[in-house]
Amino acid sequence: MRLTEASSFFSQSPEETEALGHRIARELIPGTIVGFEGNLGAGKTTLIQAICQGLGVKEHVLSPTFVIMHVYQGTKFPVYHFDLYRLSHKEINDLGWEDYLFDQGISLIEWIDRAPPINVPYIKIKIDYGDEPNSRKFEIERIPSKN
Ligand SMILES: Nc1ncnc2c1ncn2[C@@H]1O[C@H](COP(=O)(O)OP(=O)(O)O)[C@@H](O)[C@H]1O
Ligand SMILES: [Mg+2]
């Protein structure tokens, strides 16, 4: 798998999504930003939990819905997990979140579509429901810098 190339994956179970997360984790290099799009229950957190596990995070990873972000320590670099669901652009900017994005950690951002424009390239992972209750489609795309 090459995260810089657009690609799609299908999953029929949470376990298959976890396997995808482990594969993605192996491709992540310091400073990478990954943004996730998809409705509630699509599987953003499930995928992120597996990515974190693949990065060596030992803590239990939960959606940071009430605290905006979590910092985890992976084996090689820190992991910043954001959930932008309830935040306005002003609140996001007030976080000083670009300090994290420009850091040498891995930034994993749920609801990236709610973010103000990001002036650095990032990997977008869009999750859609399939025809069956447990089927999901993952589309991976590299988004260039807005500058
Ligand atoms: N193929 C699948 N991939 C991911 N999650 C799935 C899949 N099939 C069913 N699920 C279920 O969907 C839910 C996804 O929840 P979650 O990862 O919290 O979504 P989000 O963070 O996008 O709101 C979980 O309850 C999970 O067990
Ligand atoms: Mg979530």
Side-chain angles (χ1 to χ4, degrees), residues 103-145:
D103 187 79
Q104 289 300 296
I106 305 282
S107 294
L108 305 173
I109 307 169
E110 299 195 40
W111 298 99
I112 189 77
D113 37 328
R114 300 190 177 206
I118 297 180
N119 297 325
V120 282
Y122 65 95
I123 311 286
K124 184 173 90 176
I125 302 184
K126 183 169 168 289
I127 312 176
D128 283 304
Y129 287 89
D131 297 334
E132 303 294 328
N134 287 353
S135 63
R136 304 286 190 274
K137 181 182 186 190
F138 297 83
E139 287 174 282
I140 301 181
E141 185 187 356
R142 185 178 181 281
I143 307 294
S145 169

Side-chain angles (χ1 to χ4, degrees), residues 40-95:
L40 279 174
K44 301 179 294 298
T45 301
T46 301
L47 184 62
I48 286 172
Q49 284 168 337
I51 293 172
C52 286
Q53 192 182 48
L55 293 172
V57 173
K58 300 289 181 223
E59 285 163 85
H60 185 52
V61 172
L62 293 171
S63 253
T65 306
F66 297 103
V67 294
I68 301 169
M69 76 168 295
H70 284 145
V71 178
Y72 301 112
Q73 193 56 52
T75 312
K76 294 182 190 154
F77 12 76
V79 182
Y80 309 123
H81 180 192
F82 295 86
D83 188 325
L84 305 182
Y85 184 48
R86 291 162 208 276
L87 303 183
S88 66
H89 284 189
K90 179 173 186 308
E91 286 170 313
I92 294 168
N93 285 325
D94 287 352
L95 283 176

